[in-house]
Amino acid sequence: QVRLVESGGGLVQAGGSLRLSCAASGSMFSINAMGWYRQTPGKQRELVATITRGGSTNYADSVKGRFTISRDNAKNALYLQMNSLKPEDTAVYYCKATILGGMDFWGKGTLVTVSS
């Protein structure tokens, strides 16, 4: 029903910025919420930010004030603007979409590496 493909990851120095994109195929009107999660080796997947259909956002404390999540339904896209990046932000970032009924769909991830 929903296919998600992330892009925009890469290598950046501490203090720099990156903008992640998530392209979704399928009807965006069926999606209740979308979010960005990240994971590093040996750690559990961690919520970064979420956004509802109505535009309500939620951020992990670790990224508040630095990251901004947004969505563009016309383009079926989800974005994550990441500013003031820190080495601890290094992770694979995953896009998630939750459709009506509560089923989750995940992208395969894009790697963000922040050097010190």
Side-chain angles (χ1 to χ4, degrees):
Q1 291 180 278
V2 179
R3 181 177 175 82
L4 306 172
V5 180
E6 303 94 337
S7 63
L11 175 64
V12 65
Q13 292 185 332
S17 299
L18 283 174
R19 184 175 176 84
L20 304 184
S21 298
C22 174
S25 61
S27 178
M28 291 291 288
F29 296 106
S30 69
I31 300 174
N32 282 334
M34 301 186 77
W36 289 98
Y37 294 73
R38 65 188 182 186
Q39 188 169 24
T40 55
K43 295 183 178 180
Q44 296 293 322
R45 188 168 52 198
E46 174 188 41
L47 183 149
V48 177
T50 61
I51 184 168
T52 67
R53 184 186 298 178
S56 296
T57 59
N58 182 51
Y59 297 91
D61 288 340
S62 60
V63 307
K64 286 181 179 178
R66 299 189 298 120
F67 292 8
T68 302
I69 188 171
S70 61
R71 63 193 293 177
D72 186 338
N73 290 326
K75 296 182 178 180
N76 293 328
L78 176 73
Y79 305 99
L80 184 68
Q81 179 65 46
M82 305 185 294
N83 298 325
S84 302
L85 284 162
K86 304 175 180 179
E88 50 263 45
D89 294 319
T90 296
V92 176
Y93 284 71
Y94 297 91
C95 175
K96 186 183 81 171
T98 303
I99 65 171
L100 291 173
M103 181 176 290
D104 293 336
F105 292 85
W106 294 88
K108 293 184 178 181
T110 184
L111 177 63
V112 172
T113 302
V114 184
S115 65
S116 60

